[in-house]
Amino acid sequence: MFYNEYSKEKLQEELEGLYKEYNKIKESGISLDMSRGKPGPDQLDLSMDMLDVFNSESDLKASNGFDCRNYGVLDGIPEAKKMMADIMECNPENVIIGGNASLNLMYDAISRAYTHGIMGETPWCKLDKVKWLCPVPGYDRHFGITEHFGIEMINIPLKEDGPDMDMIEELVSKDASIKGIWCVPKYENPTGLSYSDEVVKRMAALKPAAKDFRIFWDNAYAIHHLYDEEEKQDTILNIIDECKKAGNEDMVYEFASTSKVTFPGSGIAAIASSVANVDEIKKRMSVQTIGFDKMNQLRHVKYFKNAEGVKKHMAKHAAKLRPKFEAVLKMLDAELDGYGIATWTKPNGGYFISFDVMEGCAKKVVNMCKEAGMVLTGAGAPFPYGIDPKDSNIRIAPSYPSPEELIDASKILIVCTKIAAIEKLLETK
Amino acid sequence: MFYNEYSKEKLQEELEGLYKEYNKIKESGISLDMSRGKPGPDQLDLSMDMLDVFNSESDLKASNGFDCRNYGVLDGIPEAKKMMADIMECNPENVIIGGNASLNLMYDAISRAYTHGIMGETPWCKLDKVKWLCPVPGYDRHFGITEHFGIEMINIPLKEDGPDMDMIEELVSKDASIKGIWCVPKYENPTGLSYSDEVVKRMAALKPAAKDFRIFWDNAYAIHHLYDEEEKQDTILNIIDECKKAGNEDMVYEFASTSKVTFPGSGIAAIASSVANVDEIKKRMSVQTIGFDKMNQLRHVKYFKNAEGVKKHMAKHAAKLRPKFEAVLKMLDAELDGYGIATWTKPNGGYFISFDVMEGCAKKVVNMCKEAGMVLTGAGAPFPYGIDPKDSNIRIAPSYPSPEELIDASKILIVCTKIAAIEKLLETK
């Protein structure tokens, strides 16, 4: 029975029991963190063998004979470009290997557009207004970059199969101040869902009024499945191919990294795009640096051999993450289903579950959880300017705690969600 | 006897002999590169043991217990901050550890000032004109950054003990559009000379009209001596201390890296400044990245233990570089001294020798060397916009070739310098 069908008295009785439970948890002195998409220590252990790849006797030459220990090679050694190109399903000529973080590549791409413009268009700093489309809920650090550059962000609702394409098509075709869109097309942060083929095709076929409109295609979870069975693995169309087919070859910047493959912060990141975009980026990047860490590039390729090796490695991560996602989802299914007060996604991959509570309750739930000893991502964080218009979305990051801790964490979340819902319902009873 | 005291006939005779020599070299099919300040392979071998520091059994925890394998720690692990602070003679609270390149930190610092301004001042992109002081000859990649941002560069002559401070004091006190100065205070690129205490004190005591004027103090060669004897090691005053004493605490950004200590491109870089500057940089940097490569930071500290360890390591580099510098200088002294057609510096450290030929001859000498099989840094490169007003300066980078190759290289340089000088003199005879 849905809570909203309960009588006032029954709700009050239920609330009393929930508060007893909540206070008991509070007194237990529990301390949990489900705030960030950090791999667990057991996942980091999976890549420790990578540290045996090099020793003082190693040959540090790249496949083209270049000594990776010395200066040079702006866009990455050939074998690293090949490996990342295969992961992003494009050609090495489309790829630049960057430093340790794809976020940095995204920031730099926007910073360059702001200071120097894209392909001869006016630098964004010289424009009165620059706008950006933000499918929501989304990744807080994406929105942080656009906010930092004073770019006006427009919320685009996410559906089951990707962002609302009607709205996007309408907006970009009319407004030349809209210069880009953030997309996490596969195992979205935080919904964990993926774009349908139709959405990718429509995205690639956009006819933006702005010539310098760019899709920021953050393929952060390209190979981050939770299941080994192919039917449980999401696949998405290749945006670079689709843009090319649609005559929009230069319209997309794709990003990926090995942050959640080997060691976050000590991996390699890549940007992929048309050859014309790659040439422009390289020309400008050559002012910023002589080159990124080629020894770390070589270390990664020596360890994995190729993209197949990376994918095999990802199955080990899946084995660690799967029980964590399942622990949370099992609890939610068992204890929250049927009350009509929350919905949640059931992803096949990625690092997050998106959890929607009753409107106007998300902040309250997050605060109550915090008081009970569990840190969640701040309510509103997955929205531009940190404002969730409905105050209903909570991002769950189950990767770091153990499955046992996640059962406790889920209990807290469930109790708080119920309390907030009942108190909301009682306001109008 | 000086060439300009020779008779026309004697010069012609000399020239004939030189051309015979030059053509012989050309036919020998020699191939040499003295264009960039790259460490030689034997120098890279010195750090190979660093690759034994970590293996699959290693503990990757920083001194504060943080797991370096995971996300986090924007400004660097404590022990890396300490080590780089000791190299830069400041406190860890003044230091941010960056990625693999100090050049990137410099670019980013200017880019941030351009997009967001410094300490509440107008972002440079909103100003009609931004100017910059450039001691010359200097580092081409510095000038490349300021040129990229459309910043007007003003040449400042370098003297034996640093840039012309009278000129700098005059300019910065009057012109609020002058926002910065490039400095390589120790073992300058390319002169190899160092700033005197008086120059550092005057630099620190500048009274710029622009509140957001910043000294970009690229201490790239802080510990890059050529000699072990202390009396042959240049020392410079600490700019951060001197600025503080002069009431200009926020006026300087200092940079350093391990690029020429361990592996260029795979080292760690750092920026040091006042706590107020560090706070502003960190706040903005937090939008750009979650953090840099902490595993590489830890690798460096585990290898060296501390700054003393780094300095000991540098003595090994000195032993490799010293004979190379000496090979070139010995040749120049033996074969060019007394002709009145060239001067050159005799550095105690760094990576370069600055070589001045007769006015109007540098391009010709570089071109002739190239035709004979030896690549030098392009004439003009050490000047803003690539223009050497006197066309007389040539940067010699003796680090990469072997001492034997450097003897050949010096021979070519000497012959070409003589030919260019005589042809110049003959124009007016």
Side-chain angles (χ1 to χ4, degrees), chain B residues 218-276:
Chain B
D218 184 1
N219 209 349
Y221 308 104
I223 49 174
H224 300 58
H225 309 288
L226 284 174
Y227 297 92
D228 299 336
E229 303 88 333
E230 270 187 31
E231 65 276 15
K232 283 187 172 178
Q233 296 187 345
D234 292 3
T235 54
I236 57 164
L237 282 181
N238 180 315
I239 189 72
I240 290 181
D241 285 352
E242 293 302 320
C243 280
K244 203 170 179 175
K245 280 187 218 165
N248 278 330
E249 196 170 355
D250 298 331
M251 201 173 63
V252 64
Y253 293 150
E254 183 175 355
F255 303 89
S257 82
T258 66
S259 287
K260 293 183 177 90
V261 177
T262 55
F263 302 113
S266 303
I268 57 175
I271 178 171
S273 195
S274 68
V275 171

Side-chain angles (χ1 to χ4, degrees), chain A residues 24 43 127 197 206 252 254 261 274 280 295 364 380 391 403 414:
Chain A
K24 224 171 92 185
Q43 287 180 264
L127 300 175
D197 292 356
L206 285 176
V252 64
E254 183 175 356
V261 177
S274 68
E280 183 178 72
M295 285 176 64
K364 184 172 181 175
D391 186 26
I414 288 159

Side-chain angles (χ1 to χ4, degrees), chain B residues 39-248:
Chain B
D42 55 338
Q43 287 180 266
L44 305 174
D45 290 343
L46 294 174
S47 304
M48 285 304 283
D49 288 351
M50 196 172 74
L51 301 177
D52 295 333
V53 164
F54 288 154
N55 61 41
S56 54
E57 305 296 319
S58 296
D59 177 12
L60 279 292
K61 295 259 192 332
S63 57
N64 60 354
F66 202 95
D67 190 339
C68 291
R69 304 174 304 170
N70 218 331
Y71 286 115
V73 190
L74 178 66
D75 55 350
I77 58 172
E79 53 267 60
K81 285 168 76 174
K82 170 79 173 124
M83 189 176 86
M84 293 307 289
D86 286 345
I87 288 170
M88 292 192 275
E89 297 171 339
C90 60
N91 297 314
E93 63 174 12
N94 300 116
V95 171
I96 298 171
I97 307 292
N100 70 325
S102 57
L103 189 75
N104 203 329
L105 288 174
M106 294 174 222
Y107 176 100
D108 284 3
I110 289 182
S111 187
R112 280 190 301 266
Y114 189 83
T115 60
H116 288 79
I118 292 176
M119 299 259 177
E121 298 297 306
T122 308
W124 299 351
C125 69
K126 305 290 184 198
L127 300 174
D128 290 333
K129 176 73 88 181
V130 176
K131 297 178 192 163
W132 204 270
L133 304 183
C134 301
V136 289
Y139 180 33
D140 54 352
R141 291 187 189 272
H142 285 165
F143 305 150
I145 294 175
T146 26
E147 184 174 4
H148 181 68
F149 283 96
I151 294 171
E152 185 181 312
M153 295 180 280
I154 301 166
N155 288 5
I156 304 289
L158 268 179
K159 302 177 170 185
E160 289 280 311
D161 67 340
D164 183 333
M165 288 309 301
D166 291 337
M167 193 174 165
I168 292 171
E169 283 165 353
E170 167 92 6
L171 283 166
V172 301
S173 66
K174 285 187 179 164
D175 189 347
S177 68
I178 296 175
K179 299 298 187 187
I181 181 170
W182 290 119
C183 294
V184 184
K186 195 166 179 179
Y187 303 134
E188 293 156 352
N189 176 351
T191 71
L193 306 179
S194 302
Y195 290 13
S196 68
D197 291 356
E198 195 206 332
V199 163
V200 177
K201 277 179 190 292
R202 286 177 72 180
M203 194 71 81
L206 286 176
K207 298 286 167 243
K211 282 187 196 163
D212 50 353
F213 177 88
R214 291 291 180 273
I215 300 166
F216 276 58
W217 196 256
D218 184 1
N219 209 349
Y221 308 104
I223 49 174
H224 300 58
H225 309 288
L226 284 174
Y227 297 92
D228 299 336
E229 303 88 333
E230 270 187 31
E231 65 276 15
K232 283 187 172 178
Q233 296 187 345
D234 292 3
T235 54
I236 57 164
L237 282 181
N238 180 315
I239 189 72
I240 290 181
D241 285 352
E242 293 302 320
C243 280
K244 203 170 179 175
K245 280 187 218 165
N248 278 330

Side-chain angles (χ1 to χ4, degrees), chain B residues 18 21-34 331-332 335-336 355 364-376 394 405-420:
Chain B
L18 287 164
E21 210 175 325
Y22 178 70
N23 288 327
K24 223 171 92 185
I25 296 167
K26 235 168 127 175
E27 282 156 21
S28 74
I30 212 161
S31 173
L32 291 165
D33 191 334
M34 291 214 298
M331 288 288 292
L332 297 179
E335 314 232 347
L336 265 185
F355 183 72
K364 184 171 180 175
V365 170
V366 170
N367 285 339
M368 286 189 73
C369 286
K370 196 176 173 186
E371 280 171 30
M374 177 171 74
V375 184
L376 288 162
I394 294 172
E405 288 173 322
L406 285 165
I407 292 172
D408 288 336
S410 302
K411 271 183 200 156
I412 302 174
L413 181 65
I414 289 159
V415 169
C416 296
T417 299
K418 285 180 172 174
I419 290 175

Side-chain angles (χ1 to χ4, degrees), chain A residues 37-41 44-45 48-52 54-60 66-71 100-101 103-105 107-108 111-112 114-116 124-127 139 141 144-145 148-150 259-260 262-267 283-284 286-296 299 400, chain B residues 37-41 44-45 48-52 54-60 66-71 100-101 103-105 107-108 111-112 114-116 124-127 139 141 144-145 148-150 259-260 262-267 283-284 286-296 299 400:
Chain A
K38 285 171 76 163
L44 304 175
D45 290 342
M48 285 303 284
D49 288 352
M50 197 171 75
L51 300 177
D52 295 332
F54 287 154
N55 60 41
S56 53
E57 306 296 319
S58 297
D59 178 11
L60 279 292
F66 201 94
D67 190 338
C68 291
R69 304 173 304 171
N70 218 330
Y71 286 115
N100 70 324
L103 190 74
N104 203 329
L105 289 174
Y107 176 100
D108 284 2
S111 187
R112 281 190 301 265
Y114 190 84
T115 59
H116 289 78
W124 298 351
C125 69
K126 304 290 183 199
L127 300 175
Y139 179 32
R141 291 187 188 272
I145 294 174
H148 182 67
F149 283 96
S259 288
K260 292 182 178 90
T262 56
F263 302 114
S266 303
K283 197 177 147 213
R284 292 177 178 174
S286 72
V287 180
Q288 186 180 26
T289 188
I290 301 171
F292 296 100
D293 187 343
K294 295 181 298 297
M295 285 176 64
N296 205 30
R299 184 181 286 117
Y400 198 78
Chain B
K38 285 170 77 163
L44 305 174
D45 290 343
M48 285 304 283
D49 288 351
M50 196 172 74
L51 301 177
D52 295 333
F54 288 154
N55 61 41
S56 54
E57 305 296 319
S58 296
D59 177 12
L60 279 292
F66 202 95
D67 190 339
C68 291
R69 304 174 304 170
N70 218 331
Y71 286 115
N100 70 325
L103 189 75
N104 203 329
L105 288 174
Y107 176 100
D108 284 3
S111 187
R112 280 190 301 266
Y114 189 83
T115 60
H116 288 79
W124 299 351
C125 69
K126 305 290 184 198
L127 300 174
Y139 180 33
R141 291 187 189 272
I145 294 175
H148 181 68
F149 283 96
S259 287
K260 293 183 177 90
T262 55
F263 302 113
S266 303
K283 198 177 146 212
R284 292 177 178 174
S286 72
V287 181
Q288 186 181 25
T289 187
I290 300 171
F292 296 100
D293 187 342
K294 295 181 298 298
M295 286 176 64
N296 205 31
R299 184 182 287 118
Y400 198 79

